[in-house]
Amino acid sequence: MENIINIFIKSIFIDNMIFAFFLGMCSYLAVSKTVKTATGLGIAILFVLLVTLPINYLLNKYILSAGALVWLSPQYASVDLSFLSFIMFIAVIASITQVVEMVIERFLPSLYTALGIFLPLIAVHCAIMGGSLFMQERGYATIGEATSFALGSGIGWFLAVVAIAAIREKLTYSHIPAPLRGLGISFIITGLMGLAFMSFMGISL
Amino acid sequence: MNTNSNTYTFIYASVLVVLVAAVLAFVAGSLKTKQQSNIDTEKRLHILQSAHLATEAAKASNKNDYVASQFEQYITRSYVVDYRGEITDGNAFDIEMKQQYELLKHKLKQELRLPVFECTLDDGTLLYVVPCYGLGLWGPIWGYVALKDDCNTIYGVVFDHKGETPGLGSQIATEKYARQFVGKQIFDKDKFVSVSVVKGGARPNDLHAVDAISGGTITSNALQDLLFMSLEAYVPFFEIKTKQ
Amino acid sequence: MFKKIFLAPLFKGNPITVLTLGICSALAVTVKLEPAMVMAASVTLVTGFASLIMSILRNTIPNRIRIIVQLVVIAALVIVVDQVLKAYAYDASKQLSIFVGLIITNCLIMGRIEAYALGNKPIPSLIDGLANGLGFGIVLTVVAFVRELIGSGTLFDIPVIPHSWYVANGGFYENNGLFILPPMALIVIGLVIWVQRSISKELIEKQ
């Protein structure tokens, strides 16, 4: 249990998807002009991470990793399908986002209008794919840990994108050197925020 | 042709999947041995480096062959011991330290399978090389400790890590850092004390402590803990060896 | 004509600093030059060949599964690159860790397929893909050069700052550890954009 909380806190503040690993920068820069769109995309990412990561965890544990097929029959102990993991993960992510999109459209039309345009984008979102790859690389032991990592990273991404959007809204009123306007200053601000987030490093529960 | 009909879409997807799977299986299959030998070479090289051997590895024209032949030459014996320090069956080289670490963490001592590599230097000195494994700030840290035949004095160490902070925590993997450990002792008289990693610098002449990495406090603490935990598991084995 | 396709993405249509594509998976590998260049080469190859393959297939793909087909082709290419790196450049592949896999979601590749390869012949598509990969690689290399030089005092792991300059040896110089930390990649790239837009003023964003 303590491990699960630890992973959760760590993935929000220390291993923040944006500030520590720059995952999802493209859409982060594209939507962070206003707080409203940033919130929409942030929630969509959180949601899809939370659904795809446990599925990919099970996929990795029972099908892809070396010797994972033993539950079918002991003779498969030497089978190692891990070379297929990239393609399986991305297939899961792409199909899940499609399904999620359809389900939300059918049952929660108001949420769909809010998230709608972002959902197709998420299939190729680095933070989602990165979540699954980190899960595999770090070898989380239980599905609980994997889910808590998904929740933490999602919240971390959400916080980061909303925070930068708020700053960029204010930035409209400041005098930025012309060549730095827009993209350039966003990069630098993200860097400074990343430095601030680094002070969380070393926290452990 | 109607490229949007259901049948066409279905056939297209199936053909694509089969084709891609075939290509990937072929690539993965044909590179498998090469990849495995890279992994083995790294492990062998670490074991040799803890005993200050295989110094020419970076320059060797065929690194894999060079390391394999050095390993053959110097690692004269390897075996697996259990928690009582007695030799049991198993291949030392194939033991995954990650699994042993999990067992240690959950205090399942009976199931421990601990590898030992005996290294004989050119002058006939016998060394025991044992692995260590634990978690650092960002991911696993592992390494090997070469002990002299008194099972107490450290002859050399080597550490590696998956992703400690570059320039800070990652310094544990440097030769300069490893050199500090040479000559340290893991027993204080008969009591096992391991080697502690002291922030702000170890006292000179302290036989059981080394300096921590400045800016890498968590990595340093992790290193101290994993050394203690990993070496402690070998204490029964060391005691048997020293009584002989 | 090929020359124009090739040169545009290198500076004025640079995928990172102008089009903001493909930043995600790139910056985390810019601490040292070597992994950055391996990454740049991998991305260049994947972008080029993905564009080539998609351009050859462009008239046969069922529209409904277009995105999935693209993803499958890209993922397959990335797996090939990953396997080859593990076999022939083991140390570099260890340093790149998950970032090789993240080439799949590099928006640059998808972006070039959608914007160019699906509407053009195979050879120009290949050139467009390779050139965009190179444009991406140039920025990566510049950022890695600055970070490795200032942060570690080395280039390709070879020390370039004279030994006697360091404070530890009685000199005046100390490596700036700040540049090793992840956020500095963003700040360096912000500065690169500043320089580039000061040179070509037409890239400056409107207020």
Side-chain angles (χ1 to χ4, degrees):
Chain A
M1 190 63 208
E2 110 194 75
N3 214 357
I4 291 181
I5 299 171
N6 205 356
I7 290 175
F8 177 71
I9 301 286
K10 233 175 125 171
S11 53
I12 297 180
F13 294 108
I14 307 165
D15 291 355
N16 187 292
M17 283 275 185
I18 287 194
F19 297 133
F21 301 105
F22 321 112
L23 297 184
M25 285 300 291
C26 317
S27 54
Y28 164 87
L29 291 167
V31 304
S32 63
K33 282 181 185 127
T34 61
V35 173
K36 201 163 166 252
T37 47
T39 317
L41 184 70
I43 291 173
I45 296 280
L46 172 59
F47 190 71
V48 176
L49 258 178
L50 208 52
V51 180
T52 56
L53 223 133
I55 296 179
N56 279 340
Y57 173 80
L58 294 174
L59 197 67
N60 186 44
K61 183 156 184 193
Y62 292 107
I63 297 182
L64 294 173
S65 57
L69 288 169
V70 181
W71 60 275
L72 271 178
S73 145
Q75 73 197 45
Y76 292 135
S78 62
V79 177
D80 181 1
L81 291 178
S82 50
F83 70 94
L84 284 177
S85 47
F86 295 169
I87 212 163
M88 294 298 281
F89 288 169
I90 197 77
V92 166
I93 291 167
S95 37
I96 292 284
T97 30
Q98 205 105 74
V99 173
V100 166
E101 196 183 344
M102 286 190 276
V103 170
I104 294 185
E105 190 179 11
R106 174 75 181 74
F107 296 104
L108 297 163
S110 59
L111 185 65
Y112 181 76
T113 37
L115 298 186
I117 49 161
F118 298 120
L119 284 169
L121 273 179
I122 289 175
V124 286
H125 198 274
C126 308
I128 311 272
M129 183 69 180
S132 288
L133 290 174
F134 273 130
M135 173 272 296
Q136 186 189 34
E137 163 111 358
R138 294 182 189 157
Y140 288 124
T142 62
I143 192 162
E145 288 184 13
T147 316
S148 125
F149 171 65
L151 190 64
S153 320
I155 294 177
W157 206 91
F158 174 81
L159 279 179
V161 78
V162 173
I164 186 99
I167 295 180
R168 283 182 74 174
E169 276 188 0
K170 296 272 179 289
L171 224 54
T172 330
Y173 306 107
S174 33
H175 298 283
I176 300 155
L180 212 50
R181 220 179 278 152
L183 193 58
I185 194 73
S186 307
F187 272 117
I188 292 179
I189 289 174
T190 311
L192 294 176
M193 288 168 76
L195 283 176
F197 262 66
M198 288 207 70
S199 54
F200 287 111
M201 216 163 83
I203 290 180
S204 98
L205 296 176
Chain B
M1 194 165 51
N2 177 12
T3 54
N4 282 324
S5 76
N6 280 341
T7 337
Y8 181 82
T9 306
F10 189 74
I11 294 173
Y12 195 93
S14 317
V15 170
L16 186 77
V17 165
V18 171
L19 210 68
V20 166
V23 169
L24 292 183
F26 172 74
V27 171
S30 52
L31 294 174
K32 184 97 199 156
T33 36
K34 181 91 179 133
Q35 293 172 358
Q36 190 57 44
S37 78
N38 283 336
I39 294 169
D40 290 349
T41 296
E42 187 177 51
K43 193 166 172 179
R44 291 197 181 104
L45 188 59
H46 276 152
I47 295 173
L48 289 168
Q49 280 172 339
S50 72
H52 309 303
L53 293 166
T55 41
E56 305 285 309
K59 281 179 255 162
S61 58
N62 187 334
K63 192 171 159 190
N64 289 4
D65 287 352
Y66 170 78
V67 172
S69 74
Q70 292 277 305
F71 194 80
E72 189 76 8
Q73 186 184 344
Y74 289 106
I75 305 301
T76 38
R77 207 173 149 222
S78 68
Y79 43 83
V80 181
V81 298
D82 62 11
Y83 71 102
R84 292 164 302 185
E86 281 162 16
I87 296 177
T88 89
D89 48 346
N91 184 346
F93 195 74
D94 291 338
I95 294 213
E96 286 283 344
M97 278 316 287
K98 195 179 165 199
Q99 287 165 9
Q100 309 308 316
Y101 170 76
E102 294 294 329
L103 291 174
L104 273 176
K105 214 169 69 177
H106 295 105
K107 310 231 182 304
L108 296 165
K109 275 171 68 178
Q110 283 79 355
E111 290 168 43
L112 280 178
R113 289 288 173 274
L114 303 163
V116 178
F117 301 91
E118 282 186 6
C119 175
T120 314
L121 300 179
D122 285 332
D123 60 2
T125 316
L126 180 69
L127 302 175
Y128 297 104
V129 180
V130 298
C132 52
Y133 185 98
L135 291 184
L137 173 60
W138 304 104
I141 300 178
W142 63 94
Y144 292 88
V145 178
L147 294 165
K148 288 188 182 161
D149 61 356
D150 61 357
C151 289
N152 183 12
T153 316
I154 293 178
Y155 182 78
V157 293
V158 63
F159 298 115
D160 203 353
H161 63 97
K162 193 139 210 171
E164 297 310 295
T165 321
L168 302 172
S170 76
Q171 285 179 12
I172 55 163
T174 58
E175 207 197 322
K176 191 178 155 206
Y177 190 72
R179 223 177 292 140
Q180 277 200 83
F181 284 83
V182 175
K184 301 290 174 191
Q185 296 186 345
I186 59 169
F187 286 93
D188 186 9
K189 305 215 173 65
D190 281 335
K191 195 172 163 284
F192 174 71
V193 291
S194 182
V195 175
S196 28
V197 181
V198 182
K199 201 180 166 184
R203 275 178 293 120
N205 306 325
D206 188 336
L207 273 176
H208 311 291
V210 294
D211 296 348
I213 300 153
S214 56
T217 312
I218 296 176
T219 307
S220 306
N221 289 345
L223 188 64
Q224 170 176 320
D225 293 348
L226 78 92
L227 272 175
F228 191 91
M229 196 164 111
S230 304
L231 291 175
E232 193 187 25
Y234 281 94
V235 167
F237 168 76
F238 294 151
E239 280 168 355
I240 291 174
K241 280 289 166 195
T242 42
K243 273 179 206 138
Q244 272 173 10
Chain C
M1 187 187 81
F2 286 169
K3 199 176 153 196
K4 202 173 142 226
I5 301 175
F6 186 76
L7 289 180
L10 298 187
F11 190 77
K12 290 208 171 144
N14 189 290
I16 291 190
T17 57
V18 180
L19 306 177
T20 45
L21 289 176
I23 309 153
C24 324
S25 51
L27 293 179
V29 300
T30 52
V31 175
K32 292 259 160 94
L33 263 171
E34 197 197 333
M37 292 188 85
V38 173
M39 183 75 181
S42 310
V43 171
T44 307
L45 285 177
V46 174
T47 319
F49 283 97
S51 284
L52 176 69
I53 293 171
M54 291 313 290
S55 172
I56 295 172
L57 296 177
R58 71 186 188 281
N59 293 324
T60 68
I61 301 169
N63 200 34
R64 264 182 297 172
I65 55 167
R66 193 184 77 233
I67 301 281
I68 298 272
V69 171
Q70 290 175 10
L71 281 176
V72 168
V73 169
I74 297 170
L77 286 169
V78 172
I79 293 176
V80 172
V81 167
D82 180 47
Q83 296 287 325
V84 170
L85 283 181
K86 274 189 188 142
Y88 295 101
Y90 183 66
D91 291 332
S93 95
K94 253 192 357 178
Q95 284 171 315
L96 292 177
S97 72
I98 76 153
F99 292 96
V100 180
L102 282 175
I103 298 177
I104 297 173
T105 47
N106 192 320
C107 355
L108 169 63
I109 303 170
M110 280 286 244
R112 286 332 289 171
I113 292 174
E114 287 278 311
Y116 197 88
L118 289 178
N120 286 286
K121 292 219 168 63
I123 299 299
S125 301
L126 174 68
I127 295 174
D128 176 77
L130 290 177
N132 273 284
L134 280 178
F136 169 90
I138 290 175
V139 176
L140 223 59
T141 312
V142 170
V143 176
F145 177 84
V146 174
R147 287 182 74 190
E148 184 170 355
L149 182 65
I150 305 182
S152 315
T154 59
L155 290 174
F156 292 108
D157 279 329
I158 301 162
V160 287
I161 308 285
H163 211 62
S164 55
W165 283 16
Y166 283 104
V167 174
N169 304 318
F172 58 91
Y173 188 79
E174 191 88 66
N175 286 329
N176 188 341
L178 196 62
F179 276 77
I180 291 169
L181 302 177
M184 283 316 285
L186 293 167
I187 293 176
V188 171
I189 202 166
L191 298 177
V192 170
I193 291 176
W194 192 355
V195 171
Q196 190 197 16
R197 292 188 182 180
S198 308
I199 297 170
S200 37
K201 297 258 192 273
E202 70 272 20
L203 293 175
I204 292 174
E205 286 175 41
K206 287 186 197 72
Q207 200 106 54

